[in-house]
Amino acid sequence: MSRALTETLLDLSGLTVLTEAATGAYAVTAVLAAMAGARHVYAFTRPTRHGTPADARQQTLELADSVGVADRIDVLEQITPNILHQTDIVTNSGHLRPLTAALIDELPREAVIALMFEAWEFRPEDLDMEACLRRGIPIVGVNERHPSVDVFSFLGPLCVKQLHDCGLSVYKNRIAVLCDNDFVGSLRAGLASSGASVDTFDDVQAVYRDAWDAIIVALRPGAEPRIGSPEATHLAACAPAGVIIVQFWGDMDRTVLSANGLGVWPAAAPAMGHMGILLSEIGPEPIVRLQAGGLRAAEWVRRSRTVSPDGFAQIVTRPPDPAFADSH
């Protein structure tokens, strides 16, 4: 965490942050903000499948105490208007989502929302974009490929971990990567460096018949599952019986995949629009870097600094796809 703060030059002095108190690697967010000199950090928590509010409180405050910042973190189970009125940065964190119009309307006009991932990955269900546009509150993505953040480089090892979990060696495996977004280079490099034979495709219909050991799905989520009945039929025709369809990112109709004789991994479906494996599965390092980068991007915009293509910050300026316009 100290290394991430040094590399990103994160400085939250004079600013108040509203984020989450969470468990595991995600306990770092509130603590990073306090370590970066935030005037105060409000960390909201609620019950989830990852732990109870008591678990989140304990893990967050124990970590904070170990670096001497516990006195500047309040763990909350209720967010009052008074807290919102003094908040400079709100993070788009799991316990806080969705960020509603009612919450956004209570924020100061100079507040910013930290998306905590790249702008193009924006999910309309996470927060009320119309409320942000109406209030003039920026939604700030983080450049995950900035040298001081460099989270994209962890995507390849993360995909390798996912394949190991489903019983594949990766080494000497024949793997198709179905990817229509900026993840493709990192995924291909990570798999190839582990000894896989890899071909990439940006469309399901482009996948050809081969002795695939696995087909990685890393498709940007849409209004409907990216792998439905027609896609499942095509993939089944292109691969040996029982080949594993690995859900890295992008929603899939698991019923039709199974009906076509295809295996599906992970065994439990992730939430709609979410990744099939968390970055924390390969340790805290990528989470620490991502959270520090997300806070740094928000700080950059909050302090009215210029946003540039090679900098930390990215601004979500408009709906990313027609599905958003159709649903609002």
Side-chain angles (χ1 to χ4, degrees):
M1 292 168 71
S2 296
R3 186 167 62 242
L5 294 179
T6 299
E7 291 181 1
T8 59
L9 302 178
L10 178 62
D11 177 10
L12 296 174
S13 56
L15 301 179
T16 296
V17 176
L18 172 60
T19 186
E20 69 176 0
T23 56
Y26 290 90
V28 304
T29 315
V31 184
L32 279 167
M35 289 174 68
R39 179 171 50 209
H40 204 80
V41 181
Y42 294 102
F44 176 73
T45 187
R46 57 183 173 83
T48 71
R49 63 187 177 89
H50 300 293
T52 66
D55 295 331
R57 174 185 296 275
Q58 179 182 354
Q59 293 184 35
T60 298
L61 293 180
E62 281 184 355
L63 183 60
D65 187 60
S66 74
V67 289
V69 296
D71 61 325
R72 278 185 285 123
I73 299 174
D74 279 345
V75 178
L76 316 165
E77 293 183 56
Q78 183 177 2
I79 301 170
T80 65
N82 181 57
I83 289 170
L84 295 173
H85 294 166
Q86 57 185 294
T87 294
D88 296 285
I89 295 171
V90 182
T91 66
N92 174 43
S93 300
H95 288 178
L96 289 168
R97 292 197 293 260
L99 300 179
T100 63
L103 182 151
I104 292 164
D105 283 344
E106 295 289 347
L107 295 173
R109 287 203 169 271
E110 63 270 18
V112 301
I113 292 174
L115 192 61
M116 307 305 276
F117 42 77
E118 292 210 344
W120 63 274
E121 299 175 77
F122 174 80
R123 298 182 298 249
E125 63 270 22
D126 281 3
L127 60 93
D128 194 317
M129 176 181 266
E130 288 184 350
C132 291
L133 292 173
R134 172 167 47 79
R135 294 289 319 287
I137 291 176
I139 304 168
V140 185
V142 54
N143 177 8
E144 296 181 35
R145 287 163 279 193
H146 188 284
S148 298
V149 183
D150 195 25
V151 172
F152 265 39
S153 294
F154 291 92
L155 294 176
L158 185 66
C159 190
V160 170
K161 169 70 162 65
Q162 196 176 27
L163 288 167
H164 286 169
D165 287 347
C166 79
L168 291 171
S169 65
V170 182
Y171 180 68
K172 296 296 186 183
N173 284 160
R174 181 82 173 108
I175 297 173
V177 175
L178 186 52
C179 184
D180 62 356
N181 54 72
D182 291 352
F183 289 174
V184 64
S186 300
L187 294 177
R188 180 175 53 227
L191 293 165
S193 67
S194 292
S197 171
V198 184
D199 278 356
T200 60
F201 306 90
D202 61 7
D203 183 79
V204 174
Q205 298 303 319
V207 179
Y208 51 76
R209 182 161 184 78
D210 207 326
W212 307 113
D213 293 294
I215 298 174
I216 308 292
V217 173
L219 297 170
R220 184 172 172 172
E224 299 294 331
R226 297 300 308 274
I227 306 295
S229 186
E231 293 81 12
T233 301
H234 179 77
L235 293 178
C238 291
V243 71
I244 303 294
I245 310 298
V246 178
Q247 185 177 5
F248 189 79
W249 192 45
D251 305 314
M252 311 190 310
D253 186 330
R254 289 166 167 248
T255 302
V256 298
L257 286 165
S258 297
N260 278 274
L262 299 165
V264 182
W265 188 265
M272 294 289 287
H274 289 248
M275 292 180 66
I277 181 171
L278 296 174
L279 275 166
S280 55
E281 289 295 311
I282 54 173
E285 179 77 12
I287 300 302
V288 169
R289 298 178 75 92
L290 181 61
Q291 305 307 85
L295 290 167
R296 175 62 161 140
E299 178 227 331
W300 188 270
V301 174
R302 174 61 181 79
R303 299 195 193 280
S304 303
R305 294 173 175 149
T306 303
V307 175
S308 61
D310 60 350
F312 285 98
Q314 303 171 341
I315 304 295
V316 179
T317 55
R318 60 183 181 276
D321 58 49
F324 179 86
D326 291 343
S327 64
H328 284 67

